[in-house]
Amino acid sequence: MIPTGISPTEAAFEVVGLVNAKSIIDFMFFETKIGLAVFLIGMLTALWRSVKETDFSVLWSYLMMFCILLFIFIKPMAGLESATSTMEAAGWKGTTTQEALKEVFIDSGKARAGSLGLVVISQGYNAIVYGTISAITKVTQQKDFNYLNNPFIVNKVSLYLQHFSSEGIKKDPALRKDLEDFLKNDYPQTLGRMINNGKTQANITKKWWPGDEEIIKNYDLDQRKRWEALDLKLTDYIKTEIGKLGAKGPFTDLFIDYKAIKIKLLAGHTEKAATDIASNMTGYGLEPKAVSLSWIMRQPASWLAFASSFVGQFFSTTLSEFMIKALPYLQGYAVMIIYSLFPFTLLLCLLFGTFSILKEYFIYLFWVKSWVIVWALIHYAAIYMSTLQTRLGSGTSSWFFEKPYFNTVTGVLLVMSPGIAWFMTKGVLSGIGEAATALTLHADKGTGKVGSKIGI
């Protein structure tokens, strides 16, 4: 049996929607006379049209449609007691569908059943979505980062690390104080000694940090020992905090750069030390006024760059985080509502005597389910982009700090994903019809040209 729903969230909402649909069907067609009244109105309308047009095929078509709806969607039921999701079948280890449904059905003792025809069609849709994602995974050769096992893994890691680094070293006051003392005393002393000895460039850049190989070479013996001890403690602190965030694992480790986190954590102190040296406030700075003037001239641009970076990272972080967390639930609610509206679609079909309403219903249902396909494409695009940026990363920082553009892109694409899925759905369904029309037109033109040549 094909699992119900792609993600546990979608599967849980899908089960609720299917149960709601079955309950409403039972109420309309068996517990009350609503369904019977609509059927009689539709049949009388079909009979009147048959008499008026002297074509009783309209009536027989209506009766045939009623039988199809009755014996496929209205009467038969399918059990949903052991409903699960495709992601769970693919190895997902997070929250399960049954855990999400426990308080809704199991504890309350409510029966779980849905319209057999609707359940089968839903499972067919799930199979199409699953097959498409599997094909994308195979084409992109990202088996280890399969969306079904690790949805938005790259973006989640980046968001975890940005939040973690923005908090600073708040959980270990002793380590924070020791680092501040080192960066206030030993670090600027070493920078000043390097500059005054002419062993490095005269300009100060914030990419210098205490763990840089060139700086470590210029520490004296005691300073080097203090830094190495602090560096080890800082590494342990980062590992502990990342583990608490739930971001630790074999996949996450591939994207975590401890050096980049350290640079981010110490960036404020190191930039201050560099600034103090350039302005000769520490006593280890440069004497030439040209350097100080150059530093002063750089300040407006530096502040603008800092403000832009802050706003950009805030936007990318909050937007991506919100969409990554909220979209599965938005899709789940949409699925639940669409399933719950299914009985009313059946009533409209019986009232107007046409399957076209049911066809439109299933188009919209597939549209909501196809959101996951777009999310998988965004997931693999983010992995590709992160890999590319890692290779092209400049300086000593890594891509999720120097170049967090893919987070912004991800947030925007996630906002657009329902629209992208809609155009994709309509394109696939209408493309076949348009292709057939185009072929017919070309065939007609070709026939006309041939006919004109032979005098027809």
Side-chain angles (χ1 to χ4, degrees):
M1 182 177 181
I2 300 172
T4 300
I6 297 299
S7 69
T9 302
E10 180 187 346
F13 279 106
E14 185 169 314
V15 170
V16 174
L18 288 169
V19 172
N20 288 344
K22 185 58 183 175
S23 299
I24 296 172
I25 288 174
D26 291 340
F27 175 79
M28 288 182 171
F29 289 92
F30 300 106
E31 298 177 13
T32 66
K33 305 300 182 181
I34 297 175
L36 178 61
V38 172
F39 165 70
L40 290 175
I41 293 172
M43 187 177 69
L44 291 174
T45 302
L47 179 61
W48 177 77
R49 287 178 56 195
S50 296
V51 173
K52 182 180 179 181
E53 299 173 7
T54 62
D55 182 7
F56 282 90
S57 63
V58 177
L59 178 61
W60 297 122
S61 298
Y62 181 85
L63 293 175
M64 181 65 68
M65 182 192 68
F66 172 73
C67 292
I68 292 173
L69 295 180
L70 177 65
F71 294 108
I72 294 180
F73 296 108
I74 298 175
K75 187 65 178 175
M77 296 193 324
L80 300 171
E81 288 80 6
S82 58
T84 185
S85 67
T86 304
M87 287 177 61
E88 292 171 70
W92 174 255
K93 302 299 181 182
T95 304
T96 65
T97 304
Q98 293 300 314
E99 289 175 352
L101 289 171
K102 185 175 182 181
E103 296 181 0
V104 179
F105 293 108
I106 297 177
D107 291 348
S108 61
K110 295 181 181 178
R112 279 193 280 176
S115 166
L116 178 61
L118 187 57
V119 170
V120 171
I121 292 175
S122 300
Q123 290 176 340
Y125 281 171
N126 292 332
I128 293 173
V129 174
Y130 173 74
T132 304
I133 295 176
S134 299
I136 296 171
T137 303
K138 188 173 182 179
V139 169
T140 56
Q141 299 180 348
Q142 295 290 342
K143 184 176 181 181
D144 292 337
F145 297 101
N146 190 327
Y147 178 84
L148 298 174
N149 295 328
N150 304 280
F152 298 112
I153 182 64
V154 178
N155 300 84
K156 286 182 177 179
V157 170
S158 178
L159 294 172
Y160 281 139
L161 296 180
Q162 288 190 46
H163 281 305
F164 166 68
S165 61
S166 65
E167 290 292 321
I169 310 172
K170 293 183 178 180
K171 306 293 179 62
D172 192 339
L175 175 60
R176 184 177 69 249
K177 185 179 184 305
D178 290 341
L179 281 169
E180 288 176 353
D181 290 341
F182 184 88
L183 295 173
K184 183 179 180 181
N185 300 313
D186 300 300
Y187 175 63
Q189 184 184 60
T190 304
L191 282 185
R193 185 165 58 242
M194 292 170 63
I195 293 172
N196 289 327
N197 290 338
K199 293 184 178 180
T200 187
Q201 296 179 357
N203 60 320
I204 303 296
T205 67
K206 64 181 181 180
K207 289 186 178 179
W208 287 4
W209 74 294
D212 186 83
E213 294 180 0
E214 186 66 24
I215 295 179
I216 292 176
K217 292 177 182 178
N218 286 274
Y219 287 143
D220 60 33
L221 183 59
D222 291 336
Q223 288 173 337
R224 183 177 298 187
K225 288 181 179 179
R226 282 195 294 273
W227 168 251
E228 290 175 350
L230 288 172
D231 189 42
L232 289 174
K233 291 181 180 179
L234 186 58
T235 300
D236 293 337
Y237 175 82
I238 293 171
K239 288 181 178 180
T240 301
E241 293 303 310
I242 287 177
K244 291 179 181 178
L245 287 171
K248 191 175 183 180
F251 300 105
T252 307
D253 290 340
L254 295 176
F255 291 98
I256 290 180
D257 186 338
Y258 291 103
K259 181 188 291 186
I261 300 175
K262 293 174 185 177
I263 292 172
K264 185 69 174 180
L265 287 171
L266 306 180
H269 296 285
T270 55
E271 188 168 6
K272 183 178 183 302
T275 301
D276 291 344
I277 289 176
S279 58
N280 201 22
M281 293 178 62
T282 61
Y284 302 108
L286 297 177
E287 296 297 336
K289 294 182 179 180
V291 176
S292 297
L293 181 61
S294 175
W295 172 78
I296 292 173
M297 294 299 293
R298 286 199 301 269
Q299 289 312 293
S302 299
W303 280 110
L304 180 61
F306 174 79
S308 302
S309 175
F310 176 80
V311 173
Q313 290 202 14
F314 175 80
F315 175 77
S316 65
T317 300
T318 54
L319 178 63
S320 295
E321 183 177 22
F322 173 77
M323 296 309 295
I324 288 171
K325 290 181 179 179
L327 267 179
Y329 291 94
L330 294 176
Q331 188 216 20
Y333 277 112
V335 168
M336 181 184 70
I337 291 171
I338 290 178
Y339 281 130
S340 300
L341 292 175
F342 181 69
F344 302 99
T345 304
L346 295 179
L347 288 180
L348 292 175
C349 289
L350 293 174
L351 184 63
F352 295 103
T354 176
F355 280 115
S356 62
I357 299 173
L358 195 63
K359 182 188 73 172
E360 290 296 321
Y361 173 86
F362 286 122
I363 289 175
Y364 281 101
L365 177 59
F366 181 76
W367 165 57
V368 175
K369 283 187 166 294
S370 68
W371 293 8
V372 185
I373 298 175
V374 180
W375 298 346
L377 290 171
I378 296 172
H379 169 78
Y380 294 120
I383 291 177
Y384 171 77
M385 194 169 182
S386 68
T387 305
L388 180 63
Q389 290 181 166
T390 301
R391 294 173 181 173
L392 300 177
S394 61
T396 51
S397 297
S398 80
W399 53 267
F400 48 78
F401 291 126
E402 277 201 350
K403 301 183 179 182
Y405 309 128
F406 80 96
N407 253 345
T408 304
V409 173
T410 300
V412 172
L413 288 176
L414 288 177
V415 172
M416 296 171 58
S417 60
I420 297 172
W422 174 252
F423 285 113
M424 179 180 69
T425 302
K426 295 296 288 186
V428 170
L429 294 174
S430 63
I432 298 175
E434 291 178 0
T437 302
L439 288 174
T440 303
L441 290 174
H442 284 297
D444 292 341
K445 290 180 181 178
T447 304
K449 290 178 180 179
V450 173
S452 63
K453 290 182 179 180
I454 61 177
I456 297 177

